[in-house]
């Protein structure tokens, strides 16, 4: 007796594999937009903050505005250098590929669930023969490097909190980075296998210095003088907020994290109005930071994506 082939049950559109991720992307994007809108409203409702920021930015020197645009580019290249150093332990990834992958991810990670990171891992696997597990190890190592470098920066910032000389303060903040760099050079000279990890720590330390510089600039552009140790704390909070995959690149989350951190740093004795003012200042500064970053991420991300796509069409990754 012959049997007819079993019919496959058709799945509803919401039952398809990956549909849950699609919904998470939509929800994450909506949350990001809502948080960003709320941040803009919170700043706009504090008229004095907007007025002070506008007056300061109109009179700001060109080098300060230029710094707000140059330092995000430095962060892109330093991030690529750190990942390249860590990745070379597992695969021979050309430096140009890493720069383009990080540049493309800079734009793509503005979407929820960090698609730029996923795409980079897939690219490494297909074109560089790098296992997914090794890519995860590299990302964990990069996060550890960021945490250690921020810890060293915070110690240095607390140590120079009462120093009035700007030059001396900058030298002390750069001290840990210089020290780590010297250790990396020594380790490479003696043939130690761990020199790449130490070098990556040094590069991440430079990147964290760039982030502290970025916040120093945007706070100056909104007319606020923030202490060095608070700048380091804000930079650390920013890095944590950007790791949350709910909204792309921490959109909305990062702005509120910076604003609420500045409000918390106002102290328990501060009045509610003082805390709200501090939160609005933090929100305004990071919105400005976000604007400068996005202006650069779009052309950099598009150019890097085009270069990577051309390599894919040629059937090679390097």
């Amino acid at each position: 007796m012959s049997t007819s082939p079993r019919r496959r049950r058709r799945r509803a559109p919401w039952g398809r594999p990956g549909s849950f991720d699609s919904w998470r992307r939509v929800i994450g994007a909506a949350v990001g937009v809502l948080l960003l809108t709320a941040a803009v409203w919170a700043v706009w409702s504090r008229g004095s903050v907007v007025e002070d920021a506008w007056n300061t930015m109109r009179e700001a020197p060109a080098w300060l505005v230029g710094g707000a645009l140059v330092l995000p580019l430095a962060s892109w290249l330093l991030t690529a250098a750190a990942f390249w150093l860590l990745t070379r332990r597992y695969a021979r990834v050309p430096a140009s590929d890493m720069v383009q992958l990080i540049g493309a991810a800079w734009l793509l990670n503005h979407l929820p669930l960090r698609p730029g990171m996923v795409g980079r891992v897939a690219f490494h696997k297909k074109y560089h023969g790098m296992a997914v597990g090794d890519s995860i190890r590299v990302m964990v190592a990069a996060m550890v490097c960021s945490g250690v470098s921020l810890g060293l920066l915070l110690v240095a910032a607390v140590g120079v909190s009462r120093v009035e000389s700007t030059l001396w303060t900058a030298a002390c903040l750069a001290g840990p980075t210089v020290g780590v760099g010297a250790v990396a050079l020594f380790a490479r000279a003696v043939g130690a296998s761990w020199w790449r990890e130490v070098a990556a720590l040094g590069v991440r330390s430079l990147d964290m210095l760039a982030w502290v510089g970025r916040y120093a600039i945007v706070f100056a552009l909104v007319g606020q003088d923030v202490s060095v140790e608070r700048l380091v704390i804000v930079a650390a909070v920013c890095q944590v907020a950007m790791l949350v995959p709910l909204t792309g690149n921490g959109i909305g989350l990062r702005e509120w994290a910076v604003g609420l951190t500045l409000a918390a740093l106002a102290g328990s004795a501060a009045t509610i109005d003082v805390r709200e003012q501090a939160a609005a200042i933090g929100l305004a500064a990071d919105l400005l930071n976000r604007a400068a970053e996005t202006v650069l991420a779009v052309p950099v991300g598009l150019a890097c994506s085009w270069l990577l796509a051309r390599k894919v069409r040629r059937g090679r990754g390097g």
Side-chain angles (χ1 to χ4, degrees):
M1 181 177 178
S2 62
T3 58
S4 59
R6 182 178 297 176
R7 291 184 178 180
R8 292 182 179 179
R9 183 178 296 175
R10 296 182 62 185
R11 290 185 176 182
W14 53 83
R16 289 197 300 265
S19 61
F20 179 67
D21 286 344
S22 299
W23 277 109
R24 284 181 63 188
R25 289 181 190 276
V26 172
I27 293 171
V31 170
V33 170
L34 286 174
L35 288 173
L36 202 60
T37 303
V40 173
W41 179 85
V43 173
W44 192 258
S45 64
R46 307 289 296 194
S48 59
V49 173
V50 177
E51 184 178 356
D52 289 345
W54 176 248
N55 291 334
T56 304
M57 283 189 286
R58 283 195 307 174
E59 301 174 0
W63 68 265
L64 201 61
V65 178
L69 296 173
V70 169
L71 286 180
L73 293 176
S75 290
W76 159 45
L77 296 175
L78 289 169
T79 299
F83 272 89
W84 179 74
L85 284 166
L86 294 170
T87 300
R88 293 282 287 188
R89 177 175 290 280
Y90 305 102
R92 297 186 63 83
V93 179
S96 61
D97 278 17
M98 187 60 75
V99 168
Q100 291 161 18
L101 285 166
I102 297 297
W106 189 12
L107 178 60
L108 290 174
N109 283 343
H110 281 73
L111 300 173
L113 304 183
R114 304 180 70 83
M117 179 190 71
V118 176
R120 179 167 53 82
V121 171
F123 194 94
H124 283 323
K125 179 176 174 58
K126 182 172 182 178
Y127 294 102
H128 303 136
M130 185 172 172
V132 174
D134 291 336
S135 291
I136 294 173
R137 292 185 186 92
V138 167
M139 286 185 281
V140 172
M143 287 190 286
V144 170
C145 288
S146 297
V148 172
S149 60
L150 284 168
L152 293 173
L153 259 180
L154 185 57
V155 171
V158 172
V160 299
S161 59
R162 297 185 182 277
V163 176
E164 296 183 358
S165 171
T166 304
L167 185 61
W168 178 247
T169 299
C172 290
L173 286 179
T177 302
V178 174
V180 171
V183 172
L185 290 174
F186 174 79
R188 185 175 186 182
V190 299
S193 61
W194 41 267
W195 76 268
R196 292 186 183 278
E197 285 73 18
V198 180
L201 174 60
V203 173
R204 289 303 278 173
S205 295
L206 275 176
D207 188 19
M208 295 305 105
L209 280 173
W211 274 98
V212 172
R214 288 169 65 175
Y215 278 110
I217 288 173
V218 293
F219 276 116
L221 286 174
V222 298
Q224 299 298 321
D225 184 19
V226 179
S227 64
V228 175
E229 63 269 25
R230 292 188 177 187
L231 288 173
V232 176
I233 292 172
V234 165
V237 169
C238 157
Q239 297 300 311
V240 174
M242 289 194 299
L243 291 176
V244 179
L246 177 62
T247 65
N249 207 25
I251 291 177
L253 286 175
R254 194 182 84 184
E255 286 77 3
W256 279 103
V258 170
L260 294 176
T261 298
L262 212 63
L265 292 173
S268 57
T271 64
I272 294 178
D273 187 65
V274 169
R275 292 184 183 180
E276 289 180 351
Q277 185 80 355
I281 291 169
L283 287 167
D286 205 47
L287 284 170
L288 187 58
N289 196 7
R290 175 78 67 184
E293 183 179 320
T294 304
V295 165
L296 297 166
V298 172
V300 168
L302 290 175
C304 290
S305 297
W306 178 77
L307 290 171
L308 289 169
R310 189 173 66 171
K311 290 180 179 180
V312 170
R313 285 196 298 270
R314 292 176 178 177
R316 60 185 181 87

